[in-house]
Amino acid sequence: MKQKKQANKRSILVTSALPYANGPIHLGHLVEYIQTDIWVRFQKMREHECYYVCADDAHGTPIMLHAQKLGISPEALIAKISAEHQRDFAGFGIGFDNFYSTHSDENRELAELIYLRLKAAGHIESRVIKQAFDPEKEMFLPDRFVKGECPKCCTVDQYGDNCEACGATYAPIDLKNPVSVISGATPIEKEAEHLFFKLDHFAAMLRAWTGNEGVAVSTLQTEVTHKLKEWFTAGLQDWDISRDAPYFGFEIPGSPGKFFYVWMDAPIGYIASFKNYCDKHAVDFERFWAKDSAAEVYHFIGKDILRFHALFWPAVLEGAGFRKPTAIFAHGFLMVNGQKMSKSRGTFIKAETYLKYLNPEYLRYYFAARLNDRIDDLDLNFDDFAARVNSDLVGKVVNIASRCAGFIKKRFGGQLSAQCSEPALYQEFEAKGDEIARFYEQREYSRAIREIMALADKANQYIDEKEPWVLAKQKNRDAELQAICSMGINFFRALITYLKPVLPEMAVQSEMFLNAGELTWSSVQKPLLAHEIKKFKPLMSRVDAEQIEKMIHESKQEAAPAAKIATAATAVDDPIAPMIDYAAFSKVDLRIARIVAAEDVVGADKLLCLQLDIGGETRQVLAGIKAAYSPQDLIGKHTVVVANLAPRKMRFGVSEGMVLAAGPGGKDLWILEPHEGAMPGMRVK
């Protein structure tokens, strides 16, 4: 076979978005890390210099508060979470060259260096602003710790930075009926001096950079450039890069009591993690991050953090004298069985839970078979998941080796034929390498998988037509049998080479079986001839549907531990409502809720507006209990709420549930109060 000349060696640095050090890795996170890992492994198979770094995003108010709740230091919390994250990533074969933390000396030094350069160049401005302040906790509230009604569309239960319903962005103080997520208190406005990055200083550069002007590789995907045009039209706003104490993070040089906003030092963590790697492995750091660097730098991120990566980050790098990324690759969200991941349905699945029940390479393959270079959401359908893995990997790829290896080992001592009996057919497998490589390079993994599986079909068709199991029973056909099975082994070798970025563990097992060293992309150019293979061992078992059910069941148990409370009787003089069957009643989702805020509804005689914490989510409910309760008497109480009642638009606002109460009415009305040990979000059975 003709040897191809090795392409020019590239120097590539790749990052994934930093996981937040305040919770576990779940399958939604893994879309990105698997997508990135496949691309990195492919580049390394092409023998390019390629590094993959990441880190835990370890700063911010949520981490500080979580650590306080656990009674440990923030440093102890992030060390614990880091160990869990690295365990889960390793379980899914994510091959970081370096996994670090933003709470590091390197990150502090780089954050201070970048800030001081920006300040010296006139890109930092100080001014007094009004902020949401929790009067009970005596602290300024981060955007995500204030909830209320969107000031644009009036959708309830929106965070203090942007509306999930209409996409509007705003400040927490702009929310209607705001509530502190921490204490349930109504935030007050308080003035504070803050530091701002002047993003509009870089408008011209950003328009050119985001418009893919003068670049060999598109900086951003087409869908992303369209979204950015909307932001440019709305005008580039100055970026608040400071936060007030108490805050877990790096204090800003020359500004006592002020800390870098987590989104300021988090992306700098990409550089810091690589700096840490370079210092340990004698790699030239400047060669990758200097202004005139010829190396390539790529960020893989989710579409929800585009604004930070496509606007603020390149502007900060430009202003501080560092190179900008070569490109930013965004992906969509993970859906499960056609719907958003759900704790109640058991489809909000932690990486740790998945690994108890299923082979991680099932998921790597399924994601690869569905991923492309766009930012579309990806659906994990478990029926399709099982069918595709069983058909493609077990039924096609592994089947080729298992059908041929036994004959080679038993009849020929593991020795493959000295000649390639089907050079033209093998050439088809070898020739497909360039097209498959192009699809990997372009992140069109689904197209790469389709081409690989088409080759697998061709290999199985060849074996079916030649029927080696028939030849094995006939005399004087050994040479023909050896030639056919040797071709089958070489077809398998080509397939597993092309699949190696997706299935690294199965590739390692295959390398041991093939006994020919590490598979690189160029391995396919020359078939194995007159070569001894090892005994074949099963490489992958079929997906067990029962294991999927067990995984989903455990995820439900983790998300919604059962809570049993007594139910209250209906008032005896009320007429009995029409009978419903058990199936209808079972659809009612009763949850324990904590009343975090309560207030009168202006203009309503009977209604109180309640803000209910139902476990990780706040709901607004308009309840007709004003005659029986004063708002201040309700705050902090636990009650029972119908959580799956469709939102109802009323004259005085939207109600997102129903509080259960008993009594004849008026002043003699009592909300159901479970015992004080109940936790918000628990189901009532």
Side-chain angles (χ1 to χ4, degrees):
M1 296 295 165
K2 186 178 179 180
Q3 292 279 5
K4 292 183 180 179
K5 185 178 179 180
Q6 170 67 31
N8 292 333
K9 191 172 183 180
R10 298 156 59 190
S11 295
I12 306 170
L13 174 62
V14 184
T15 74
S16 294
L18 312 185
Y20 199 46
N22 196 33
I25 301 300
H26 56 69
L27 299 195
H29 293 129
L30 287 168
V31 171
E32 179 172 310
Y33 299 101
I34 288 173
Q35 181 191 38
T36 316
D37 187 74
I38 290 171
W39 201 77
V40 168
R41 288 181 182 275
F42 164 71
Q43 301 296 348
K44 291 182 176 182
M45 283 188 71
R46 300 281 278 183
E47 301 178 53
H48 296 305
E49 179 190 24
C50 185
Y51 304 103
Y52 180 18
V53 301
C54 196
D56 269 329
D57 183 1
H59 289 156
T61 302
I63 288 172
M64 177 184 73
L65 294 175
H66 189 185
Q68 289 175 2
K69 184 178 179 180
L70 296 175
I72 60 178
S73 68
E75 290 83 357
L77 173 62
I78 62 178
K80 173 180 178 293
I81 296 295
S82 179
E84 293 173 358
H85 284 180
Q86 293 185 64
R87 174 203 65 199
D88 292 343
F89 285 136
F92 281 90
I94 310 299
F96 298 115
D97 290 289
N98 198 48
F99 189 88
Y100 206 38
S101 169
T102 59
H103 192 63
S104 67
D105 291 339
E106 293 91 342
N107 205 34
R108 182 191 298 274
E109 292 167 4
L110 283 163
E112 291 179 353
L113 172 67
I114 288 172
Y115 168 76
L116 292 173
R117 285 183 178 180
L118 294 174
K119 185 178 180 181
H123 302 310
I124 302 295
E125 178 182 278
S126 174
R127 63 175 181 260
V128 175
I129 63 169
K130 291 182 178 180
Q131 279 187 281
F133 185 83
D134 188 323
E136 290 189 13
K137 292 292 185 179
E138 297 186 340
M139 63 180 291
F140 287 101
L141 293 168
D143 298 348
R144 305 291 284 183
F145 278 73
V146 184
K147 279 192 172 184
E149 296 177 21
C150 171
K152 299 291 178 65
C153 71
C154 297
T155 301
V156 299
D157 198 36
Q158 296 305 301
Y159 287 110
D161 54 356
N162 72 281
C163 176
E164 295 178 348
C166 71
T169 58
Y170 41 75
I173 59 174
D174 296 329
L175 285 171
K176 297 178 181 178
N177 301 317
V179 174
S180 167
V181 174
I182 302 173
S183 68
T186 300
I188 62 174
E189 290 184 6
K190 191 172 181 179
E191 289 187 341
E193 183 179 13
H194 272 236
L195 299 166
F196 288 81
F197 173 62
K198 303 292 291 181
L199 185 62
D200 63 330
H201 287 188
F202 302 89
M205 180 277 292
L206 288 171
R207 285 183 183 276
W209 188 77
T210 59
N212 297 325
E213 295 180 15
V215 293
V217 178
S218 293
T219 307
L220 301 166
Q221 293 132 297
T222 303
E223 307 102 303
V224 175
T225 60
H226 292 161
K227 182 64 179 177
L228 288 177
K229 287 178 182 178
E230 298 176 16
W231 290 335
F232 282 120
T233 301
L236 298 180
Q237 303 297 313
D238 293 346
W239 183 33
D240 187 349
I241 62 167
S242 62
R243 291 296 184 267
D244 292 282
Y247 192 83
F248 181 62
F250 295 143
E251 194 167 38
I252 299 176
S255 298
K258 303 290 181 184
F259 293 80
F260 286 122
Y261 174 40
V262 63
W263 266 109
M264 178 65 179
D265 70 63
I268 297 172
Y270 298 141
I271 309 178
S273 182
F274 186 59
K275 180 71 164 59
N276 176 259
Y277 178 86
C278 291
D279 290 344
K280 291 188 294 187
H281 296 87
V283 175
D284 185 356
F285 172 80
E286 292 294 330
R287 185 161 56 89
F288 285 82
W289 281 105
K291 188 83 170 178
D292 59 352
S293 170
E296 303 167 48
V297 175
Y298 299 98
H299 299 313
F300 283 74
I301 63 166
K303 62 183 180 181
D304 55 326
I305 54 175
L306 270 168
R307 189 164 54 127
F308 294 105
H309 283 80
L311 291 179
F312 299 128
W313 179 230
V316 164
L317 291 170
E318 178 77 9
F322 285 84
R323 59 86 46 78
K324 296 184 291 294
T326 307
I328 295 172
F329 301 139
H331 61 82
F333 300 136
L334 178 68
M335 311 287 282
V336 180
N337 294 332
Q339 298 178 299
K340 288 184 178 180
M341 294 172 62
S342 165
K343 292 182 178 180
S344 62
R345 288 191 295 269
T347 56
F348 190 93
I349 300 167
K350 296 190 299 185
E352 178 185 16
T353 306
Y354 177 100
L355 291 169
K356 290 181 184 177
Y357 297 100
L358 296 170
N359 185 333
E361 299 214 321
Y362 295 162
L363 192 70
R364 289 182 65 101
Y365 179 76
Y366 189 75
F367 281 176
R370 304 299 302 274
L371 280 165
N372 53 46
D373 68 343
R374 298 182 296 280
I375 58 174
D376 305 328
D377 292 341
L378 183 152
D379 184 31
L380 169 56
N381 180 288
F382 279 117
D383 290 338
D384 183 51
F385 167 86
R388 189 182 290 260
V389 170
N390 290 342
S391 172
D392 290 1
L393 297 185
V394 181
K396 294 181 181 179
V397 177
V398 174
N399 191 46
I400 296 168
S402 65
R403 295 170 89 182
C404 299
F407 292 122
I408 293 292
K409 195 66 180 174
K410 294 176 183 177
R411 300 284 286 266
F412 309 105
Q415 195 76 10
L416 300 177
S417 296
Q419 300 294 325
C420 179
S421 61
E422 302 282 351
L425 182 56
Y426 186 81
Q427 177 62 27
E428 291 183 33
F429 280 69
E430 190 270 338
K432 274 291 180 182
D434 287 342
E435 184 178 12
I436 293 168
R438 186 169 68 255
F439 289 144
Y440 273 125
E441 179 70 40
Q442 297 169 348
R443 306 176 323 286
E444 291 279 6
Y445 301 161
S446 60
R447 298 181 69 181
I449 294 299
R450 282 200 297 273
E451 293 300 328
I452 295 168
M453 287 305 125
L455 292 176
D457 287 336
K458 190 167 292 189
N460 278 294
Q461 182 181 0
Y462 168 82
I463 296 169
D464 288 341
E465 290 175 352
K466 297 298 183 180
E467 297 182 319
W469 52 90
V470 174
L471 293 179
K473 298 176 182 178
Q474 299 175 1
K475 294 182 178 180
N476 303 319
R477 305 291 295 271
D478 279 2
E480 192 176 349
L481 175 65
Q482 185 182 24
I484 293 167
C485 291
S486 295
M487 284 305 304
I489 296 299
N490 274 292
F491 291 150
F492 168 77
R493 177 171 172 263
L495 294 170
I496 203 64
T497 299
Y498 295 148
L499 284 169
K500 184 176 178 180
V502 179
L503 306 172
E505 179 57 34
M506 194 162 97
V508 168
Q509 296 176 39
S510 299
E511 287 167 347
M512 294 172 63
F513 156 65
L514 293 168
N515 193 33
E518 183 178 356
L519 294 169
T520 66
W521 203 259
S522 61
S523 298
V524 182
Q525 295 173 14
K526 186 177 181 181
L528 292 178
L529 302 173
H531 173 80
E532 183 179 345
I533 60 173
K534 299 291 186 181
K535 182 179 179 180
F536 178 79
K537 296 179 181 179
L539 296 172
M540 181 173 284
S541 59
R542 296 174 62 83
V543 177
D544 185 345
E546 185 177 342
Q547 294 299 101
I548 294 177
E549 290 302 318
K550 288 180 179 179
M551 175 183 69
I552 291 173
H553 177 72
E554 180 169 329
S555 297
K556 287 181 181 178
Q557 298 301 109
E558 291 170 347
K564 296 183 179 180
I565 67 167
T567 57
T570 305
V572 294
D573 57 349
D574 282 351
I576 296 177
M579 293 290 183
I580 61 172
D581 60 22
Y582 184 84
F585 179 75
S586 67
K587 296 178 182 178
V588 179
D589 185 1
L590 301 179
R591 301 280 185 97
I592 305 299
R594 184 171 66 88
I595 304 173
V596 296
E599 60 184 10
D600 294 324
V601 177
V602 178
D605 296 329
K606 299 180 180 180
L607 297 178
L608 291 180
C609 181
L610 309 180
Q611 299 293 332
L612 305 177
D613 175 9
I614 64 169
E617 181 181 354
T618 303
R619 296 276 186 88
Q620 173 176 284
V621 172
L622 302 182
I625 58 174
K626 186 174 182 178
Y629 291 94
S630 297
Q632 61 269 22
D633 295 333
L634 289 171
I635 297 174
K637 287 183 178 294
H638 289 79
T639 187
V640 180
V641 63
V642 180
N644 63 336
L645 192 65
R648 179 186 177 194
K649 188 171 180 59
M650 303 170 69
R651 176 185 171 191
F652 300 102
V654 176
S655 186
E656 300 176 286
M658 178 183 289
V659 171
L660 298 192
K667 293 182 179 180
D668 296 320
L669 189 67
W670 301 277
I671 61 171
L672 301 190
E673 294 185 55
H675 59 81
E676 289 301 312
M679 294 293 292
M682 284 184 171
R683 293 184 181 278
V684 178
K685 293 189 176 181

